[in-house]
Amino acid sequence: MLEVIDLHTYYGDSYILQGVSLQVPRGNIVAVLGRNGVGKTTLIHSIVKFVKPRGGRILLQGSDITDKSTHEIMRSGIALVPQGRRVFSSLSVFENLLVPFRCTYPDETAINPMPMDEVYSIFPILKARQGQKASHLSGGEQQMLAMARALVSGPKVLLMDEPSEGLAPLIVQDISNVILRLRDAEMAIILVEQNFKMAIGLADNVYVMSRGAMVHESLPQELVGNEEIKARYLGM
């Protein structure tokens, strides 16, 4: 579904991504793990062109989207749940959910949007809160809103950057259940996550990053048993 090939990304003169490659098949969750500052978020930002890579290719369903703009990439079927949620605090829940339609599909020609009723079936708490401002939601509810906002555009690929950050264990479990539901619906998901237990429990495949490069790829069960990789690159 999504393939990243030999990606090289810089911030000014700082060489961040140094030949990163990964594959995300349809209906799979791929977890990207690593210590803080190794380039995980830069990978996500490179895919959606928040920062433009200087080398490499990005393919979506075999089509090259490397040179497309952020707007074009979102229209092509990729959505982002950013780190820190970044909901619009002054807007209501419902207004937050309308933002992707206004920004990504201003001419109302969405390719395959997710019906609002389906979004609310995934996140029933948001239906109950739809008239409330996002600033009045709990941290877990704001994370659900950030996920729902990404889903309304009907993406084929979902990029998630630290979705469990700052959440209580019960809310993390709720978020995990939603992620599994999306995988079962054949969505391809990249999960950047510091919560090792959550990531291992969800992932079909895992990558470990260090200093801007992929240093390990395996099934999650294999990583659990690899004490050298965990100690060297994950501080476990």
Side-chain angles (χ1 to χ4, degrees):
M1 175 66 77
L2 181 70
E3 187 172 5
V4 175
I5 306 169
D6 194 29
L7 212 60
H8 298 259
T9 301
Y10 291 72
Y11 283 120
D13 293 330
S14 298
Y15 189 11
I16 307 300
L17 296 187
Q18 304 180 20
V20 169
S21 298
L22 83 164
Q23 295 184 1
V24 192
R26 182 192 302 273
N28 272 238
I29 300 170
V30 169
V32 180
L33 309 177
R35 299 175 189 265
N36 288 330
V38 299
K40 303 186 303 296
T41 294
T42 300
L43 170 61
I44 296 293
H45 287 182
S46 296
I47 292 171
V48 297
K49 293 300 170 52
F50 286 173
V51 57
K52 186 175 180 179
R54 295 189 192 177
R57 300 171 66 206
I58 303 169
L59 306 180
L60 178 62
Q61 292 185 302
S63 297
D64 196 326
I65 62 170
T66 308
D67 295 325
K68 291 185 178 294
S69 66
T70 298
H71 177 77
E72 292 170 327
I73 287 168
M74 297 301 186
R75 286 185 66 106
S76 70
I78 296 177
L80 170 65
V81 182
Q83 184 177 16
R85 299 149 199 165
R86 299 185 186 180
V87 297
F88 297 99
S89 59
S90 64
L91 300 182
S92 71
V93 166
F94 183 71
E95 289 168 337
N96 266 273
L97 296 178
L98 291 180
V99 168
F101 290 103
R102 293 172 178 171
C103 296
T104 309
Y105 305 112
D107 55 359
E108 298 184 358
T109 57
I111 298 171
N112 187 28
M114 182 178 287
M116 199 67 75
D117 286 347
E118 185 174 349
V119 174
Y120 284 146
S121 75
I122 298 172
F123 301 102
I125 189 65
L126 297 183
K127 184 174 184 178
R129 302 273 197 273
Q130 61 181 312
Q132 293 185 15
K133 287 188 176 182
S135 60
H136 296 164
L137 302 180
S138 69
E141 290 166 350
Q142 288 187 7
Q143 183 62 55
M144 293 178 187
L145 178 56
M147 293 175 66
R149 186 179 59 190
L151 293 178
V152 292
S153 60
K156 306 178 186 74
V157 178
L158 186 64
L159 312 179
M160 307 190 72
D161 195 357
E162 304 287 1
S164 76
E165 185 177 41
L167 300 182
L170 287 177
I171 302 300
V172 171
Q173 185 58 58
D174 290 341
I175 297 296
S176 297
N177 291 339
V178 171
I179 295 171
L180 290 174
R181 178 173 175 175
L182 298 176
R183 181 190 64 183
D184 291 344
E186 295 295 297
M187 193 172 292
I189 300 170
I190 293 181
L191 175 65
V192 168
E193 184 54 68
Q194 289 286 340
N195 185 326
F196 183 81
K197 182 179 179 181
M198 175 189 180
I200 291 297
L202 294 175
D204 297 289
N205 199 31
V206 292
Y207 290 82
V208 177
M209 288 189 71
S210 179
R211 298 182 180 180
M214 293 300 185
V215 295
H216 177 81
E217 176 191 358
S218 72
L219 296 174
Q221 298 86 351
E222 293 172 350
L223 178 58
V224 169
N226 194 324
E227 300 300 330
E228 179 183 356
I229 292 294
K230 290 192 297 182
R232 184 172 181 181
Y233 298 114
L234 300 177
M236 299 179 66

